[in-house]
Amino acid sequence: MAKNETLTSPIAANNETCFAYPFEAGCTTNHSSNNLSKDSSLDARLIILLEKETELKLQIDELIEEITNLEAITKNRSRSNEICWEDFEAPEWCVPIKADVLTFEWDEFAKECQFDVILMDPPWQLATHAPTRGVAIAYQQLPDVCIEELPIPKLQKNGFLFIWVINNKYSKAFEMMKKWGYTYCDDITWVKQTVNRRMAKGHGFYLQHAKETCLMGRKGEDPPGCNHSISSDVIFSERRGQSQKPEELYEMIEELVPNGNYLEIFGRKNNLRDYWVTIGNEL
């Protein structure tokens, strides 16, 4: 080693050790090369990420376009399914009775006819002031006590009761059935579908609701001509208007008790059906 090239003490830089010479910058040159290598690696990774971002943006655009098309199809389908009430004609053999169920003369009505099947879709009072999280309720709700006081026992000595329930009213519905003299015997699940046959998920507090349940109770003996082991306890059917229930349930009831006396309480125009008596204030 030359006289003027005396090695000084080592210097640590970036976990690497180099030796600095008094009049040379060799150590600095080594670090510059390392930095350039790292910069090149970062540039390559950045290019890959940018390419992935571009690819994801294209996929998002395609999904947005697909959603827009599906919404347009659904909207057109809904319009085609809408009933024009001005031109609406009730089925020829239905018996609609427009009345407030709370003030209706049930005693006189029960004297004239007893029913083999009673179907109810009560306007249950929901638990909170904003339970639907943005979904408007287009009908009046009733407290449990008003529904419970309906004189159902007077309308039926033997037969079946079908009652639609919402999630927080299961216990109350069972209480009502017991008070009215019914024994729970089965239930029916309606799995809601979209026009594309996909599951139609709705709002819910913990889980998104995609089904509704109809409880079935029995009182006394089976009605004359009652069939057993029919159909299925699950209905897969398209979701239609608000609170509008599937037509398959009516078909199931008519298969269960052919040529029976059928009564629906809290019915609407879209529920009117041949050979059914329908009572409600929205007819």
Side-chain angles (χ1 to χ4, degrees), residues 106-126:
W106 291 106
D107 290 342
E108 296 299 322
F109 184 67
K111 292 177 183 179
E112 297 297 327
C113 186
Q114 291 287 296
F115 293 92
D116 300 310
V117 178
I118 298 175
L119 171 63
M120 298 174 57
D121 183 15
W124 298 104
Q125 190 170 54
L126 301 171

mmCIF file of all heavy atoms in Angstrom, residues 106-126:
data_model
loop_
_atom_site.group_PDB
_atom_site.id
_atom_site.type_symbol
_atom_site.label_atom_id
_atom_site.label_comp_id
_atom_site.label_asym_id
_atom_site.label_seq_id
_atom_site.Cartn_x
_atom_site.Cartn_y
_atom_site.Cartn_z
ATOM 1 N N TRP A 106 -118.402 -9.457 12.172
ATOM 2 C CA TRP A 106 -117.947 -10.838 12.078
ATOM 3 C C TRP A 106 -118.994 -11.842 12.578
ATOM 4 O O TRP A 106 -119.107 -12.949 12.038
ATOM 5 C CB TRP A 106 -116.646 -11.013 12.864
ATOM 6 C CG TRP A 106 -115.468 -10.311 12.264
ATOM 7 C CD1 TRP A 106 -114.860 -9.179 12.711
ATOM 8 C CD2 TRP A 106 -114.746 -10.706 11.089
ATOM 9 N NE1 TRP A 106 -113.813 -8.830 11.900
ATOM 10 C CE2 TRP A 106 -113.715 -9.753 10.891
ATOM 11 C CE3 TRP A 106 -114.870 -11.760 10.183
ATOM 12 C CZ2 TRP A 106 -112.817 -9.834 9.833
ATOM 13 C CZ3 TRP A 106 -113.973 -11.848 9.124
ATOM 14 C CH2 TRP A 106 -112.964 -10.894 8.962
ATOM 15 N N ASP A 107 -119.721 -11.482 13.588
ATOM 16 C CA ASP A 107 -120.704 -12.420 14.153
ATOM 17 C C ASP A 107 -121.757 -12.803 13.117
ATOM 18 O O ASP A 107 -122.086 -13.988 12.946
ATOM 19 C CB ASP A 107 -121.372 -11.809 15.384
ATOM 20 C CG ASP A 107 -120.428 -11.700 16.569
ATOM 21 O OD1 ASP A 107 -119.384 -12.395 16.553
ATOM 22 O OD2 ASP A 107 -120.711 -10.926 17.510
ATOM 23 N N GLU A 108 -122.317 -11.811 12.429
ATOM 24 C CA GLU A 108 -123.315 -12.084 11.398
ATOM 25 C C GLU A 108 -122.697 -12.870 10.244
ATOM 26 O O GLU A 108 -123.328 -13.760 9.672
ATOM 27 C CB GLU A 108 -123.901 -10.766 10.892
ATOM 28 C CG GLU A 108 -124.674 -9.990 11.946
ATOM 29 C CD GLU A 108 -125.870 -10.782 12.464
ATOM 30 O OE1 GLU A 108 -126.520 -11.475 11.640
ATOM 31 O OE2 GLU A 108 -126.147 -10.734 13.681
ATOM 32 N N PHE A 109 -121.457 -12.514 9.922
ATOM 33 C CA PHE A 109 -120.753 -13.183 8.834
ATOM 34 C C PHE A 109 -120.539 -14.664 9.159
ATOM 35 O O PHE A 109 -120.729 -15.539 8.305
ATOM 36 C CB PHE A 109 -119.421 -12.476 8.590
ATOM 37 C CG PHE A 109 -118.623 -13.007 7.440
ATOM 38 C CD1 PHE A 109 -119.065 -12.871 6.141
ATOM 39 C CD2 PHE A 109 -117.405 -13.642 7.659
ATOM 40 C CE1 PHE A 109 -118.326 -13.360 5.069
ATOM 41 C CE2 PHE A 109 -116.651 -14.135 6.609
ATOM 42 C CZ PHE A 109 -117.112 -13.993 5.305
ATOM 43 N N ALA A 110 -120.136 -14.948 10.403
ATOM 44 C CA ALA A 110 -119.863 -16.330 10.805
ATOM 45 C C ALA A 110 -121.120 -17.188 10.797
ATOM 46 O O ALA A 110 -121.061 -18.400 10.574
ATOM 47 C CB ALA A 110 -119.215 -16.342 12.196
ATOM 48 N N LYS A 111 -122.273 -16.560 11.042
ATOM 49 C CA LYS A 111 -123.534 -17.315 11.017
ATOM 50 C C LYS A 111 -123.875 -17.804 9.617
ATOM 51 O O LYS A 111 -124.539 -18.828 9.442
ATOM 52 C CB LYS A 111 -124.677 -16.448 11.543
ATOM 53 C CG LYS A 111 -124.584 -16.126 13.027
ATOM 54 C CD LYS A 111 -125.718 -15.207 13.448
ATOM 55 C CE LYS A 111 -125.608 -14.804 14.918
ATOM 56 N NZ LYS A 111 -126.698 -13.879 15.315
ATOM 57 N N GLU A 112 -123.417 -17.077 8.615
ATOM 58 C CA GLU A 112 -123.763 -17.393 7.236
ATOM 59 C C GLU A 112 -122.828 -18.444 6.629
ATOM 60 O O GLU A 112 -123.236 -19.187 5.731
ATOM 61 C CB GLU A 112 -123.711 -16.117 6.382
ATOM 62 C CG GLU A 112 -124.711 -15.065 6.782
ATOM 63 C CD GLU A 112 -126.146 -15.540 6.604
ATOM 64 O OE1 GLU A 112 -126.402 -16.331 5.664
ATOM 65 O OE2 GLU A 112 -127.009 -15.131 7.403
ATOM 66 N N CYS A 113 -121.577 -18.479 7.101
ATOM 67 C CA CYS A 113 -120.620 -19.382 6.453
ATOM 68 C C CYS A 113 -119.486 -19.764 7.392
ATOM 69 O O CYS A 113 -118.992 -18.926 8.158
ATOM 70 C CB CYS A 113 -120.045 -18.722 5.195
ATOM 71 S SG CYS A 113 -118.984 -19.798 4.224
ATOM 72 N N GLN A 114 -119.106 -21.032 7.338
ATOM 73 C CA GLN A 114 -117.919 -21.528 8.023
ATOM 74 C C GLN A 114 -116.875 -21.901 6.960
ATOM 75 O O GLN A 114 -117.232 -22.328 5.850
ATOM 76 C CB GLN A 114 -118.266 -22.742 8.879
ATOM 77 C CG GLN A 114 -119.127 -22.422 10.082
ATOM 78 C CD GLN A 114 -118.345 -21.690 11.162
ATOM 79 O OE1 GLN A 114 -117.412 -22.226 11.744
ATOM 80 N NE2 GLN A 114 -118.745 -20.461 11.444
ATOM 81 N N PHE A 115 -115.623 -21.745 7.301
ATOM 82 C CA PHE A 115 -114.570 -21.894 6.301
ATOM 83 C C PHE A 115 -113.652 -23.074 6.614
ATOM 84 O O PHE A 115 -113.347 -23.360 7.766
ATOM 85 C CB PHE A 115 -113.763 -20.600 6.208
ATOM 86 C CG PHE A 115 -114.552 -19.454 5.650
ATOM 87 C CD1 PHE A 115 -115.237 -18.590 6.498
ATOM 88 C CD2 PHE A 115 -114.645 -19.263 4.287
ATOM 89 C CE1 PHE A 115 -115.980 -17.540 5.987
ATOM 90 C CE2 PHE A 115 -115.400 -18.229 3.764
ATOM 91 C CZ PHE A 115 -116.061 -17.358 4.608
ATOM 92 N N ASP A 116 -113.217 -23.709 5.538
ATOM 93 C CA ASP A 116 -112.273 -24.824 5.661
ATOM 94 C C ASP A 116 -110.833 -24.318 5.805
ATOM 95 O O ASP A 116 -110.013 -24.949 6.462
ATOM 96 C CB ASP A 116 -112.350 -25.724 4.423
ATOM 97 C CG ASP A 116 -113.745 -26.319 4.234
ATOM 98 O OD1 ASP A 116 -114.280 -26.872 5.211
ATOM 99 O OD2 ASP A 116 -114.289 -26.214 3.124
ATOM 100 N N VAL A 117 -110.555 -23.189 5.160
ATOM 101 C CA VAL A 117 -109.206 -22.608 5.196
ATOM 102 C C VAL A 117 -109.334 -21.109 5.398
ATOM 103 O O VAL A 117 -110.135 -20.445 4.730
ATOM 104 C CB VAL A 117 -108.422 -22.890 3.894
ATOM 105 C CG1 VAL A 117 -107.045 -22.226 3.957
ATOM 106 C CG2 VAL A 117 -108.270 -24.380 3.660
ATOM 107 N N ILE A 118 -108.519 -20.581 6.315
ATOM 108 C CA ILE A 118 -108.422 -19.129 6.521
ATOM 109 C C ILE A 118 -106.969 -18.733 6.308
ATOM 110 O O ILE A 118 -106.058 -19.338 6.884
ATOM 111 C CB ILE A 118 -108.877 -18.727 7.938
ATOM 112 C CG1 ILE A 118 -110.346 -19.103 8.151
ATOM 113 C CG2 ILE A 118 -108.677 -17.225 8.160
ATOM 114 C CD1 ILE A 118 -110.844 -18.841 9.568
ATOM 115 N N LEU A 119 -106.776 -17.741 5.476
ATOM 116 C CA LEU A 119 -105.436 -17.225 5.174
ATOM 117 C C LEU A 119 -105.349 -15.787 5.640
ATOM 118 O O LEU A 119 -106.251 -14.984 5.376
ATOM 119 C CB LEU A 119 -105.159 -17.316 3.671
ATOM 120 C CG LEU A 119 -103.895 -16.642 3.141
ATOM 121 C CD1 LEU A 119 -102.636 -17.266 3.735
ATOM 122 C CD2 LEU A 119 -103.858 -16.709 1.615
ATOM 123 N N MET A 120 -104.267 -15.440 6.344
ATOM 124 C CA MET A 120 -104.086 -14.084 6.858
ATOM 125 C C MET A 120 -102.678 -13.587 6.557
ATOM 126 O O MET A 120 -101.708 -14.335 6.683
ATOM 127 C CB MET A 120 -104.295 -14.041 8.382
ATOM 128 C CG MET A 120 -105.662 -14.424 8.865
ATOM 129 S SD MET A 120 -105.704 -14.508 10.680
ATOM 130 C CE MET A 120 -105.174 -12.854 11.120
ATOM 131 N N ASP A 121 -102.597 -12.330 6.150
ATOM 132 C CA ASP A 121 -101.312 -11.649 6.013
ATOM 133 C C ASP A 121 -101.397 -10.364 6.837
ATOM 134 O O ASP A 121 -101.568 -9.268 6.297
ATOM 135 C CB ASP A 121 -101.022 -11.337 4.546
ATOM 136 C CG ASP A 121 -99.660 -10.681 4.346
ATOM 137 O OD1 ASP A 121 -98.840 -10.738 5.279
ATOM 138 O OD2 ASP A 121 -99.432 -10.110 3.261
ATOM 139 N N PRO A 122 -101.298 -10.468 8.164
ATOM 140 C CA PRO A 122 -101.533 -9.300 9.024
ATOM 141 C C PRO A 122 -100.522 -8.181 8.784
ATOM 142 O O PRO A 122 -99.345 -8.451 8.526
ATOM 143 C CB PRO A 122 -101.362 -9.872 10.441
ATOM 144 C CG PRO A 122 -101.513 -11.345 10.295
ATOM 145 C CD PRO A 122 -100.976 -11.672 8.948
ATOM 146 N N PRO A 123 -100.978 -6.938 8.867
ATOM 147 C CA PRO A 123 -100.041 -5.801 8.761
ATOM 148 C C PRO A 123 -99.334 -5.596 10.103
ATOM 149 O O PRO A 123 -99.635 -4.667 10.846
ATOM 150 C CB PRO A 123 -100.954 -4.631 8.398
ATOM 151 C CG PRO A 123 -102.271 -4.984 9.024
ATOM 152 C CD PRO A 123 -102.383 -6.486 8.967
ATOM 153 N N TRP A 124 -98.417 -6.494 10.417
ATOM 154 C CA TRP A 124 -97.736 -6.467 11.709
ATOM 155 C C TRP A 124 -97.095 -5.118 11.970
ATOM 156 O O TRP A 124 -96.513 -4.517 11.076
ATOM 157 C CB TRP A 124 -96.650 -7.538 11.754
ATOM 158 C CG TRP A 124 -97.124 -8.953 11.616
ATOM 159 C CD1 TRP A 124 -97.026 -9.741 10.501
ATOM 160 C CD2 TRP A 124 -97.748 -9.759 12.623
ATOM 161 N NE1 TRP A 124 -97.554 -10.985 10.746
ATOM 162 C CE2 TRP A 124 -97.993 -11.037 12.043
ATOM 163 C CE3 TRP A 124 -98.107 -9.548 13.951
ATOM 164 C CZ2 TRP A 124 -98.587 -12.078 12.742
ATOM 165 C CZ3 TRP A 124 -98.698 -10.594 14.652
ATOM 166 C CH2 TRP A 124 -98.934 -11.830 14.053
ATOM 167 N N GLN A 125 -97.193 -4.674 13.206
ATOM 168 C CA GLN A 125 -96.534 -3.425 13.591
ATOM 169 C C GLN A 125 -95.058 -3.717 13.818
ATOM 170 O O GLN A 125 -94.700 -4.577 14.628
ATOM 171 C CB GLN A 125 -97.160 -2.846 14.857
ATOM 172 C CG GLN A 125 -96.672 -1.437 15.173
ATOM 173 C CD GLN A 125 -97.495 -0.816 16.290
ATOM 174 O OE1 GLN A 125 -97.633 -1.380 17.366
ATOM 175 N NE2 GLN A 125 -98.036 0.359 16.034
ATOM 176 N N LEU A 126 -94.219 -3.008 13.094
ATOM 177 C CA LEU A 126 -92.789 -3.261 13.161
ATOM 178 C C LEU A 126 -92.192 -2.675 14.432
ATOM 179 O O LEU A 126 -92.760 -1.790 15.066
ATOM 180 C CB LEU A 126 -92.102 -2.686 11.924
ATOM 181 C CG LEU A 126 -92.647 -3.281 10.614
ATOM 182 C CD1 LEU A 126 -92.099 -2.533 9.424
ATOM 183 C CD2 LEU A 126 -92.300 -4.757 10.510
#
